Amino acid sequence: ETWVEIGDDSVVREYATVNRGTAHSHVTRVGRGSFVMSYVHLGHDCQVGDGVILSNAVQLAGHVLVEDRAIISGMTAVHQFVRVGRHAFIGGCSRVAKDVPPYIKAVGNPVKLYGLNSVGLQRAGFSEATLTELKRAYRLMFRSDLMLSAAVAKAREELDTSHVEVQHLLDFVENSPRGVGF
């Protein structure tokens, strides 16, 4: 048996398609309080977290993971098995073939990373100390001359990883099977 699960207080608008899971995971899931706008396509086995916004005509291929409170702008296509991190923001008309780390803004074809999602994080109530450490992590991993693996190792040494958000960002990047967009 395979299923679709839509969480409480989620809205799915006109002409959206949500494919049920396959024998791979048995379920396609949309979390609580999410907004799936018109003409969105959710492929089989997608896992969409709580509070996610998928704007008009977003197309998620099968097995895509979208973590909590991410926003994907209109007419964006996301390749199968891609992961989009929590509180990430993806600009419209983007082509996402690699993972988008949490707390980051990304846009383009192919997608490129454009800094911390500062406005979204401030609106979500993140502390200044957390924002500062996330900015430092972003600069170290994506704006330095270091190889990504070396940058993650250096970040683990130099940053305050007592912030769960910093730890999540480092773990997400380090464990990305597809690699992350640059």
Side-chain angles (χ1 to χ4, degrees):
E1 292 185 16
T2 59
W3 304 94
V4 169
E5 293 178 3
I6 308 288
D8 294 340
D9 302 319
S10 286
V11 174
V12 179
R13 296 300 304 208
E14 302 82 12
Y15 308 109
T17 56
V18 182
N19 289 289
R20 68 184 187 180
T22 65
H24 183 267
S25 73
H26 302 285
V27 66
T28 298
R29 182 176 290 115
V30 176
R32 300 181 66 222
S34 292
F35 188 19
V36 178
M37 294 185 190
S38 298
Y39 299 100
V40 167
H41 171 76
L42 295 181
H44 60 84
D45 302 290
C46 283
Q47 303 295 312
V48 176
D50 296 338
V52 169
I53 298 173
L54 302 175
S55 296
N56 292 325
V58 165
Q59 306 292 293
L60 301 184
H63 306 279
V64 171
L65 169 67
V66 181
E67 293 182 345
D68 296 344
R69 300 206 52 192
I71 298 173
I72 303 178
S73 299
M75 297 176 53
T76 293
V78 182
H79 195 278
Q80 64 187 2
F81 296 103
V82 162
R83 299 178 313 146
V84 177
R86 67 178 73 137
H87 291 275
F89 179 89
I90 301 175
C93 297
S94 294
R95 178 178 59 88
V96 184
K98 293 191 174 198
D99 292 348
V100 175
Y103 318 113
I104 304 292
K105 293 181 299 190
V107 68
N109 181 4
V111 74
K112 294 188 189 303
L113 305 183
Y114 282 94
L116 205 60
N117 181 14
S118 300
V119 172
L121 298 177
Q122 288 170 347
R123 288 178 181 167
F126 282 64
S127 72
E128 283 300 318
T130 299
L131 291 174
T132 298
E133 288 304 295
L134 286 171
K135 285 178 191 174
R136 290 180 62 206
Y138 176 82
R139 285 188 199 119
L140 193 57
M141 288 189 292
F142 304 116
R143 294 295 177 249
S144 73
D145 292 332
L146 296 172
M147 296 285 293
L148 188 56
S149 58
V152 169
K154 187 172 182 179
R156 288 197 186 282
E157 292 173 13
E158 294 182 4
L159 299 179
D160 182 359
T161 55
S162 67
H163 298 276
V164 295
E165 297 84 1
V166 173
Q167 188 65 46
H168 179 64
L169 174 59
L170 296 174
D171 290 344
F172 185 100
V173 170
E174 195 170 49
N175 297 310
S176 173
R178 292 190 67 83
V180 295
F182 273 90

